[in-house]
Amino acid sequence: MKIDHSVPKEYATEENRLKIFGFWIFIGAEVALFGTLFATFFTLVDHTATGPTGHEIFELPPVLIETFVLLTSSFTIGLAVNAMRLGAKKAMLVFMGITLLLGLGFLSVEIYEFTTYVHEGASLQTSAFTSALLTLLGTHGAHVTLGFFWGLFIMIQVARRGITPETANKSFIFSLYWHFLDVIWIFIFSFVYLKGMM
Amino acid sequence: MKEYFSRFALENGDDPMIIGSQIAIAVVSIAIIVGLTYFKKWGYLWRNWLTTVDHKKIGIMYILAALLMLFRGGADAILMRAQTAVPNNGLLDAQHYNEIFTTHGVVMILFMAMPFIIGLMNVVTPLQIGARDVAFPRLNAISFWLFFFGAMLFNLSFVIGGSPDAGWTAYFPLASNDFSHTVGINYYAIAIQIAGIGTLMTGINFITTIMKMRAPGMTLMKMPMFTWSILITNLIIVFAFPVLTVALALMTMDRLFGTNFFSIANGGMDMLWANLFWVWGHPEVYIVILPAFGIYSEIISTFAQRNLYGYKSMVFSMVAISALSFLVWTHHFYTMGHGVMVNGIFSVTTMAIAVPTGVKIFNWLLTLYKGSIKFTVPMLWAMAFIPIFTIGGVTGVMLAMASADYQYHNTMFLVAHFHYVLIPGTVFGVLAGFTFWWPKIFGFSLNERIGKWAFWFIAISFNVAFFPLFLSGLNGQARRMYTYSEASGFGIYNLISFIGAIGLAIGFLLIVYQIYWSTRYAPRHVDGDPWNARSLEWATHSPVPEYNFAITPTVDSIEAFWDKKEHGKEIFKGKIEEIHMPNNSGLPIIMSAIFFVFGFALVFSMWIVAIVSLIGIFVCMAYRSFEIDHGHHIPVEKIKETERKSGVTFNED
Amino acid sequence: MRKKWFLALLGVLIVPMLSGCNLLVLNPQGPAAATQAKVIITSIVTMAFILLVVYCLFIFMLVKYRASKQEPGYKPPHIEGSKVLETIWIVIPVLIVTFLSIVTIKSTSDVEATPKSLKDEKPLIIYAASSNWKWHFSYPEEDIETVNYVNIPTNRPVEFKLYSFNTMTSFWVPQLAGQKYAMANMVNTLHLAADHPGSYFGRNSNFSGAGFAEMEFEVQAMSKKDYAKWVSDVHATAKPLKEKEFNKLLEDGHLGRKTYTGTHLGFNPAPMSHQHSGGHEQGDMTKEEMNHHKNDKEKHEDMPGMEHGE
């Protein structure tokens, strides 16, 4: 395996470069996936039937906490990648750990939010609107959950194997994924919650 | 207990035809297992095929599966044509007929056309760009096995639980629990989903391969036309398939969890399904047709013995077609009551596709100009494609006109049109490509004489089978009717069509015979270039060694290999070095098999099995994350030995 | 050998062609279908021209440049392409597509409106609702309801208001007009008129399950006088339509013809009452319509046709 030392480790081998390029295309597919979910949501947003509207169930505080937590985690994963490039393994692990804890925090608030909705009579089956809302949020939440475990496994590998071209590549791709989830959340925050509350 | 098992039974389970096929499936499966055990071939199968990550072997498996599915879908077709051959026929009842036209559509598009094309792209693309393999060999294996198990799950519906019966478009509310009581539509949603995930990964894999792994000197505008078509096809896959993923997921949730996306109560919108389906569905048509355009470009230029005419406009027309393919989906339901404005806009975008397609037709015709045309079997397919596909194309323009479409929609006219597009466009294309690249894959050629018989049978029977349907559509025959009255006057068209269908069946059986005969008796040749062809895949040996090229080729023109032969330009510069290759892995097939179990559990709402298998899938992913696998190296000596066997000599210095 | 095949093929294709003059769609009996038939003929002629060009070029190339006709050792030249030629086969198709686009938009707006020749007549409104597997026709003006047949006066524009009680269907009378979908949560409008008295074949053309093949109906066009007589006959002889009886109709599969006085629109109204005739864009229901829809929901729920799956 040829290792090119003139570039950051995550780009150091041919295989690494292919993986990063491939992952960008994967993100392109994910954009199409979430785009379809958003389109479905916008189509059905007024189809509330006898169920509640967004205006009736959305609450600002949990959504603000989720937004704050997720945005911060995007910042800390950036710090982790920075530490990785500097070769600071311990700092990298700390920042990744914080990122994942924030991810967990986000998920807890989201689960609380979902149970509140169900209690208020807005479950998955209530109306086309609630189906679309919970599916959109749930898909994002499932991505965060998957990301949590993925990140955890990468942390274990970095801790055991150190920062090698392989682990650096994985961590960098993970950070792309995490930032992407953040971008999706910003769209959810603006076009689902804020627009719904207005 | 009995109640629990009753859901696996079929509604029409006492039909002798179904019992017969159940027995046949059981007998064949047992025969395969016994045979493999008796001849002690399990180890060979596992090591060389089931765990392979070699793009050529994966391609062969794709094509094999596609051929099997061609006969499954073809059997459906023959049954349909037999049932409608005469008025008031009682061969099949309505339910059975509805199931077979549904499975015919799904199988032919998703489990025959797609894998056949993906198989050819697997075999050819890396060779054509001078690469050692695809970008992500193991992902490639996962793609194949997901497709394979998705297809198997779909076919299982035939014997366990009941086939989908709402048409391949599965429009709501017909596809909802209220109107389709069996688990058939669950199979549809979940089996296609599993195969679709595999296809999406193929898309990512091949874009990366083509963008990043081309031989030195091969700029984008020096890529062979087939590679161009594959690049564009995969771009469409990456942007269209996520839409299908979402649509199928929502469908699954509506059926299993009682959500209200497409229901007619609680605010659901049945039209949303139609929109999502065709936002994927129309680009899908181009996913199966653009690669065939690429294949024809290679074949026409090879056998006219001339370079492809208008290379640049060929590339730009494909780009234009792919962009337009996302802007026309509404033409599948002009009759849903959009205003004149919406229908007008979509009429124009749809007709606009005719322009780049026409450019391609004329460029192919001009490629023949001043050529020296050899009528081999691949060339015959390509030549039959032009006049027949043009009929498909011009009737497409007719259908694009909204006001007239109010009369064509949902009729046999439409059925005739899309068969006139898809059969010459896709089926002739893959058969041409299959015959063309067969010697590259296996080191011997398919028999030309039998191939020509098969060609004439299929090309003529095709027109006999489908041309009358244009007329019966204009005479008021709706599609998907299991029977019709004598007074309707549809009888004569359908009888002629049935005769054509028999001719088509004979033609396809001749192809099987051709493969059988050639495998047994055709002379083996070591020449890597039996057709005197023009692109890089012909520059290596046949069959292709595992590492494809001993030395990575360097190119400086569109037809590098032709230039080497004609002008003596050296493409293999440098000397043989150690080659790094990926290791085989059992993970793809194991993980996909668990996907199969997961899918089956979902179909029947067996939640415990579903959860356990879902965990199994994640365990496989976790295992992969921790696994250390750096592949292996093929030493120089071994490469030289392989090359020597293929007749290459080296100056040992 | 090849010639014989070709002749056989020709025979097989030409026999049905000869009966082509009777094809329903090309034998229109009303202004909308006449417009469509004209568009179809125009497009066939235009497309035949394109086919002719392609086929001539194709045959010329195949005959002139086959290898067996070339001198031994002939090497085909390398030709890149020609800007002039490529421009020609872009520009001419663009012109053809432009021409057909104009035809399409003009004819589509024609068939989506009251026929021009009958502009002065007040349109007759008939609700056509489908349920598995039959058609219910309601005449709010005449206060009549029929099942599986519909009578209309000739030379008077008719507006069919289409919707469905369950699966999506398509209302199609080939000789009088094209088709339109009938769906559960919106009403579509199909404009139609008949030139001459007669019986016309109509059917659901959108696959809707097991009973789809037999889901046909008859359109009887009759002179205005006969039509008026039919209306008064119905009022003299037919039973009134009761909600209970109507619910039973919905439940039954195939039915013969039925005639009632009164309509189901009173106790089981169409999904949305106000519908602009130019068609409806999906997805943009107005607030008012939504509310209306919500109020309907209760009624929808105790509709027997929808409880199939439980």
Side-chain angles (χ1 to χ4, degrees):
Chain A
M1 193 146 319
K2 279 189 215 95
I3 298 176
D4 183 351
H5 293 285
S6 64
V7 292
K9 270 190 179 144
E10 65 266 22
Y11 285 101
T13 66
E14 176 68 29
E15 204 183 328
N16 281 3
R17 289 190 287 271
L18 289 179
K19 280 185 177 160
I20 291 171
F21 185 85
F23 199 79
W24 276 110
I25 297 168
F26 173 74
I27 287 181
E30 286 272 59
V31 168
L33 184 118
F34 277 101
T36 313
L37 283 172
F38 274 111
T40 304
F41 176 79
F42 294 140
T43 310
L44 298 176
V45 68
D46 293 327
H47 290 217
T48 49
T50 49
T53 62
H55 194 73
E56 287 160 23
I57 52 170
F58 291 154
E59 281 172 59
L60 202 51
V63 178
L64 275 183
I65 295 173
E66 284 167 301
T67 309
F68 176 74
V69 166
L70 209 61
L71 285 183
T72 315
S73 78
S74 205
F75 177 62
T76 54
I77 192 69
L79 292 177
V81 168
N82 196 41
M84 175 182 90
R85 287 200 175 144
L86 297 172
K89 179 175 150 186
K90 206 167 162 198
M92 177 191 170
L93 285 175
V94 169
F95 283 126
M96 265 191 98
I98 296 173
T99 306
L100 294 185
L101 284 178
L102 290 169
L104 264 192
F106 170 84
L107 284 173
S108 329
V109 181
E110 190 160 57
I111 289 168
Y112 161 80
E113 195 194 332
F114 281 12
T115 40
T116 319
Y117 289 163
V118 174
H119 277 295
E120 287 170 356
S123 73
L124 201 55
Q125 291 89 356
T126 308
S127 68
F129 161 68
T130 59
S131 296
L133 173 74
L134 293 176
T135 304
L136 174 59
L137 297 179
T139 309
H140 177 265
H143 274 75
V144 176
T145 314
L146 194 84
F148 173 79
F149 286 104
W150 185 17
L152 195 67
F153 296 156
I154 292 172
M155 270 182 75
I156 296 170
Q157 289 171 43
V158 173
R160 279 206 208 143
R161 299 173 196 165
I163 303 173
T164 64
E166 213 176 18
T167 55
N169 184 246
K170 287 183 184 185
S171 312
F172 181 74
I173 288 174
F174 173 72
S175 77
L176 291 181
Y177 179 78
W178 201 261
H179 289 310
F180 168 73
L181 293 185
D182 213 39
V183 173
I184 294 296
W185 181 260
I186 291 169
F187 277 92
I188 291 179
F189 177 71
S190 328
F191 295 111
V192 175
Y193 289 111
L194 287 188
K195 200 162 162 272
M197 275 184 263
M198 272 191 303
Chain B
M1 201 63 183
K2 199 178 166 209
E3 206 173 308
Y4 181 83
F5 283 108
S6 71
R7 60 182 161 163
F8 299 115
L10 293 166
E11 268 189 357
N12 46 2
D14 50 353
D15 188 318
M17 228 175 318
I18 293 194
I19 295 175
S21 23
Q22 281 172 327
I23 294 171
I25 289 172
V27 169
V28 171
S29 319
I30 293 170
I32 291 173
I33 292 170
V34 170
L36 284 171
T37 315
Y38 183 76
F39 292 107
K40 300 204 171 73
K41 287 287 186 192
W42 281 109
Y44 162 80
L45 196 65
W46 178 259
R47 279 188 303 277
N48 285 291
W49 292 94
L50 304 186
T51 59
T52 188
V53 293
D54 182 338
H55 69 96
K56 300 173 286 292
K57 285 183 175 169
I58 289 174
I60 292 169
M61 291 194 290
Y62 263 119
I63 293 170
L64 198 63
L67 281 173
L68 283 176
M69 289 294 112
L70 176 70
F71 284 92
R72 159 78 216 266
D76 285 342
I78 288 282
L79 275 176
M80 275 153 73
R81 286 285 110 216
Q83 163 62 24
T84 51
V86 290
N88 301 317
N89 198 358
L91 179 67
L92 305 172
D93 60 13
Q95 178 63 24
H96 199 159
Y97 187 81
N98 298 345
E99 288 178 10
I100 59 171
F101 74 65
T102 304
T103 53
H104 170 76
V106 173
V107 165
M108 285 304 201
I109 292 284
L110 287 150
F111 300 131
M112 189 283 286
M114 292 279 293
F116 215 134
I117 272 158
I118 295 177
L120 288 173
M121 83 166 79
N122 256 289
V123 172
V124 178
T125 313
L127 292 171
Q128 231 176 28
I129 60 172
R132 288 266 142 75
D133 205 321
V134 294
F136 312 112
R138 195 180 301 190
L139 189 69
N140 202 19
I142 294 178
S143 289
F144 170 73
W145 288 112
L146 283 178
F147 145 72
F148 180 81
F149 281 110
M152 289 303 110
L153 184 62
F154 187 82
N155 279 283
L156 203 60
S157 69
F158 188 50
V159 285
I160 304 178
S163 294
D165 56 359
W168 90 284
T169 47
Y171 271 18
F172 276 82
L174 187 62
S176 67
N177 288 336
D178 292 342
F179 303 105
S180 187
H181 312 295
T182 68
V183 292
I185 308 286
N186 295 358
Y187 271 115
Y188 172 97
I190 293 159
I192 298 177
Q193 184 74 287
I194 292 174
I197 296 169
T199 308
L200 183 59
M201 290 179 187
T202 300
I204 295 169
N205 210 340
F206 276 83
I207 294 175
T208 313
T209 307
I210 296 173
M211 292 307 290
K212 289 282 171 186
M213 294 173 71
R214 295 190 307 275
M218 187 184 280
T219 57
L220 282 178
M221 291 311 273
K222 283 182 185 152
M223 294 198 306
M225 198 48 65
F226 178 69
T227 302
W228 254 116
S229 73
I230 295 304
L231 176 64
I232 292 169
T233 301
N234 284 293
L235 281 168
I236 304 179
I237 286 178
V238 164
F239 290 103
F241 264 76
V243 181
L244 179 71
T245 305
V246 171
L248 291 173
L250 303 186
M251 174 190 244
T252 311
M253 287 174 60
D254 262 14
R255 288 189 57 97
L256 296 183
F257 307 130
T259 51
N260 293 298
F261 291 103
F262 312 125
S263 61
I264 46 180
N266 296 328
M269 261 180 85
D270 45 5
M271 291 167 277
L272 180 62
W273 166 264
N275 275 280
L276 291 179
F277 183 86
W278 287 112
V279 168
W280 161 78
H282 202 86
E284 167 68 13
V285 174
Y286 292 94
I287 293 173
V288 296
I289 255 177
L290 287 179
F293 286 179
I295 294 171
Y296 291 132
S297 300
E298 301 289 330
I299 288 175
I300 291 176
S301 135
T302 299
F303 296 109
Q305 311 194 57
R306 251 208 53 199
N307 66 314
L308 189 64
Y309 190 87
Y311 177 90
K312 275 186 200 153
S313 60
M314 287 299 239
V315 172
F316 288 126
S317 59
M318 274 200 293
V319 174
I321 290 172
S322 68
L324 283 170
S325 75
F326 283 92
L327 301 173
V328 299
W329 80 93
T330 299
H331 74 214
H332 294 273
F333 38 84
Y334 283 140
T335 56
M336 210 177 252
H338 323 282
V340 176
M341 184 70 178
V342 173
N343 278 353
I345 290 170
F346 279 92
S347 290
V348 175
T349 54
T350 306
M351 283 191 268
I353 293 190
V355 177
T357 314
V359 168
K360 299 192 78 72
I361 297 274
F362 286 114
N363 277 335
W364 284 317
L365 287 174
L366 264 283
T367 303
L368 302 173
Y369 177 66
K370 288 195 175 169
S372 173
I373 305 167
K374 286 193 288 186
F375 290 98
T376 59
V377 173
M379 188 60 166
L380 284 175
W381 289 119
M383 289 298 100
F385 154 78
I386 291 178
I388 301 177
F389 180 82
T390 310
I391 296 179
V394 296
T395 50
V397 175
M398 291 167 66
L399 278 153
M401 304 172 76
S403 54
D405 181 69
Y406 295 169
Q407 293 282 25
Y408 306 130
H409 186 60
N410 272 330
T411 69
M412 293 313 262
F413 188 92
L414 169 75
V415 173
H417 155 71
F418 69 70
H419 283 92
Y420 261 86
V421 172
L422 285 170
I423 292 187
T426 302
V427 180
F428 287 14
V430 292
L431 289 175
F434 174 73
T435 323
F436 184 55
W437 283 304
W438 179 280
K440 178 77 339 202
I441 307 173
F442 295 109
F444 62 92
S445 298
L446 288 173
N447 182 288
E448 284 274 303
R449 208 177 126 79
I450 311 173
K452 281 180 184 168
W453 272 99
F455 164 78
W456 284 108
F457 254 102
I458 292 175
I460 292 171
S461 309
F462 166 78
N463 288 291
V464 179
F466 291 100
F467 198 84
L469 301 186
F470 282 123
L471 302 172
S472 82
L474 288 176
N475 201 24
Q477 188 184 0
R479 67 193 290 209
R480 295 172 170 175
M481 292 194 320
Y482 86 103
T483 192
Y484 51 85
S485 68
E486 191 148 6
S488 64
F490 304 147
I492 178 72
Y493 308 112
N494 289 280
L495 186 63
I496 296 170
S497 174
F498 175 59
I499 296 168
I502 294 175
L504 279 171
I506 296 172
F508 283 108
L509 289 177
L510 280 173
I511 287 180
V512 176
Y513 178 64
Q514 180 197 22
I515 296 172
Y516 166 79
W517 191 93
S518 315
T519 310
R520 284 199 70 165
Y521 307 114
R524 269 53 182 165
H525 45 73
V526 283
D527 181 11
D529 178 30
W531 305 114
N532 192 17
R534 314 172 83 86
S535 45
L536 272 185
E537 74 269 30
W538 305 100
T540 182
H541 327 294
S542 304
V544 185
E546 125 182 72
Y547 47 77
N548 292 356
F549 298 93
I551 298 167
T552 301
T554 315
V555 301
D556 63 355
S557 73
I558 299 169
E559 300 181 310
F561 181 53
W562 184 255
D563 288 347
K564 171 180 158 35
K565 290 191 289 187
E566 287 296 295
H567 311 296
K569 272 191 197 163
E570 191 46 63
I571 49 176
F572 296 112
K573 295 169 191 157
K575 60 178 201 250
I576 293 177
E577 286 171 44
E578 201 178 58
I579 295 172
H580 175 241
M581 296 298 290
N583 287 335
N584 285 0
S585 166
L587 201 62
I589 184 173
I590 293 170
M591 189 168 115
S592 307
I594 303 175
F595 254 104
F596 176 85
V597 176
F598 174 62
F600 185 79
L602 277 189
V603 167
F604 289 96
S605 309
M606 300 186 288
W607 303 118
I608 296 169
V609 184
I611 290 167
V612 171
S613 47
L614 188 63
I615 292 172
I617 292 167
F618 286 121
V619 169
C620 289
M621 286 165 143
Y623 175 83
R624 171 62 182 139
S625 175
F626 284 102
E627 188 186 13
I628 298 176
D629 176 8
H630 293 300
H632 62 277
H633 288 86
I634 307 177
V636 176
E637 258 326 294
K638 203 166 162 218
I639 299 168
K640 283 192 174 166
E641 197 190 309
T642 316
E643 293 291 302
R644 249 182 239 116
K645 270 189 208 153
S646 311
V648 181
T649 48
F650 302 93
N651 6 329
E652 304 287 338
D653 51 318
Chain C
M1 181 67 201
R2 213 169 279 167
K3 224 173 221 166
K4 225 157 91 197
W5 267 107
F6 187 70
L7 285 179
L9 173 72
L10 222 60
V12 161
L13 293 181
I14 279 177
V15 173
M17 287 272 225
L18 291 179
S19 60
C21 354
N22 297 325
L23 296 173
L24 287 189
V25 167
L26 299 181
N27 186 13
Q29 299 295 325
T35 307
Q36 284 157 335
K38 227 185 283 163
V39 171
I40 291 171
I41 298 292
T42 312
S43 63
I44 288 179
V45 171
T46 319
M47 292 300 124
F49 163 74
I50 293 173
L51 279 181
L52 190 74
V53 173
V54 171
Y55 282 21
C56 288
L57 204 56
F58 177 69
I59 291 166
F60 170 77
M61 296 295 177
L62 286 195
V63 170
K64 182 117 195 262
Y65 298 111
R66 46 200 313 156
S68 52
K69 277 212 166 177
Q70 313 292 352
E71 287 161 28
Y74 168 70
K75 286 225 174 224
H78 181 96
I79 309 170
E80 278 295 335
S82 148
K83 285 234 166 67
V84 179
L85 276 181
E86 287 172 55
T87 315
I88 289 175
W89 60 63
I90 289 173
V91 171
I92 293 177
V94 166
L95 291 178
I96 294 173
V97 165
T98 314
F99 162 67
L100 292 178
S101 300
I102 295 167
V103 172
T104 305
I105 291 170
K106 210 180 146 301
S107 57
T108 309
S109 40
D110 284 349
V111 299
E112 290 283 8
T114 310
K116 282 195 190 97
S117 53
L118 302 170
K119 265 273 179 304
D120 307 329
E121 296 264 346
K122 183 172 156 275
L124 171 67
I125 290 177
I126 301 175
Y127 282 76
S130 70
S131 69
N132 282 351
W133 287 278
K134 54 207 151 317
W135 289 95
H136 310 264
F137 297 97
S138 313
Y139 298 69
E141 205 178 307
E142 281 84 357
D143 205 30
I144 287 177
E145 175 140 341
T146 61
V147 175
N148 285 340
Y149 80 97
V150 58
N151 289 358
I152 57 167
T154 49
N155 291 313
R156 181 173 170 193
V158 182
E159 278 179 28
F160 280 100
K161 300 289 180 191
L162 310 170
Y163 66 99
S164 165
F165 284 103
N166 35 48
T167 53
M168 193 187 284
T169 53
S170 191
F171 180 93
W172 185 33
V173 191
Q175 286 188 285
L176 298 184
Q179 62 192 293
K180 255 218 190 136
Y181 283 170
M183 292 174 291
N185 35 28
M186 66 184 270
V187 174
N188 271 330
T189 303
L190 182 77
H191 296 269
L192 174 157
D195 293 335
H196 313 288
S199 157
Y200 303 107
F201 158 77
R203 65 164 296 119
N204 162 28
S205 65
N206 192 58
F207 175 60
S208 63
F212 162 69
E214 294 92 353
M215 197 169 160
E216 295 175 357
F217 58 90
E218 186 190 355
V219 182
Q220 296 178 57
M222 42 183 71
S223 68
K224 282 175 184 153
K225 213 176 98 198
D226 289 347
Y227 179 75
K229 185 172 175 301
W230 173 72
V231 171
S232 59
D233 279 357
V234 171
H235 280 284
T237 56
K239 283 187 305 179
L241 180 64
K242 296 268 164 51
E243 186 165 1
K244 205 170 144 202
E245 166 125 21
F246 181 71
N247 286 342
K248 200 175 151 323
L249 288 182
L250 285 178
E251 234 172 310
D252 289 337
H254 291 295
L255 278 177
R257 298 179 182 203
K258 307 246 176 207
T259 313
Y260 301 95
T261 56
T263 70
H264 70 262
L265 297 170
F267 49 79
N268 205 338
M272 284 175 285
S273 44
H274 15 245
Q275 179 69 34
H276 11 158
S277 60
H280 190 84
E281 274 230 29
Q282 68 216 51
D284 61 14
M285 289 191 221
T286 63
K287 270 269 146 49
E288 207 182 336
E289 285 166 337
M290 286 302 306
N291 288 337
H292 184 92
H293 200 41
K294 251 195 237 179
N295 298 338
D296 278 356
K297 211 200 133 237
E298 250 177 46
K299 287 193 183 98
H300 268 267
E301 260 176 359
D302 45 42
M303 211 161 62
M306 309 198 21
E307 281 168 10
H308 269 293
E310 327 249 317

